[in-house]
Amino acid sequence: MTPAPALPSGAGQYEAWGQLRFRPNCFAPRCTPSDVVTLQYRPPGSPVWTSVGATAVTNPLGYFDIYVGSQGPGSWRAVWTGGGATFTSREASVSY
C-alpha cells in the first residue's frame, strides 16, 4: 500500500494504492472479485489504529485505489479480512 497526497485539486486528501498480491487472479466468468480493503491510520506515538475508509476490490488482479481525508502525519496500513483470516500490510509513514 502506498499513500500519497492527492494533488492538485484533492487538497486535504490522501490517495492509497495497493494490491492484494496474496489473492488469486479472478477473471469473469470464472469468478467475480469481491474483496474489501480497509485503510487504517495511527497518529505518531499512538498504539491505536483507526479505520478511516474502505473500498471494494473489483480489479481482477487485486489492485485497489482509494481516496481518504488527510489525517496529518502518522502511519497508514491496509487490512483485509476474509475466510477467518486477517492480513495486514506493512506500515507506511506519512510526514506531511
Side-chain angles (χ1 to χ4, degrees):
M1 197 255 329
T2 304
L7 299 174
S9 62
Q13 288 191 328
Y14 284 118
E15 177 183 18
W17 177 90
Q19 181 186 24
L20 300 176
R21 295 187 303 174
F22 61 90
R23 299 291 286 150
N25 294 341
C26 182
F27 293 95
R30 184 175 58 89
C31 67
T32 303
S34 60
D35 292 301
V36 174
V37 170
T38 301
L39 236 50
Q40 295 184 332
Y41 168 78
R42 182 180 70 184
S46 173
V48 179
W49 288 95
T50 302
S51 296
V52 294
T55 187
V57 182
T58 57
N59 179 281
L61 299 177
Y63 290 103
F64 62 90
D65 191 22
I66 180 175
Y67 291 86
V68 294
S70 173
Q71 306 293 311
S75 296
W76 290 86
R77 70 181 184 182
V79 179
W80 174 88
T81 302
T86 297
F87 292 91
T88 303
S89 72
R90 61 180 167 74
E91 297 177 24
S93 295
V94 174
S95 59
Y96 43 84

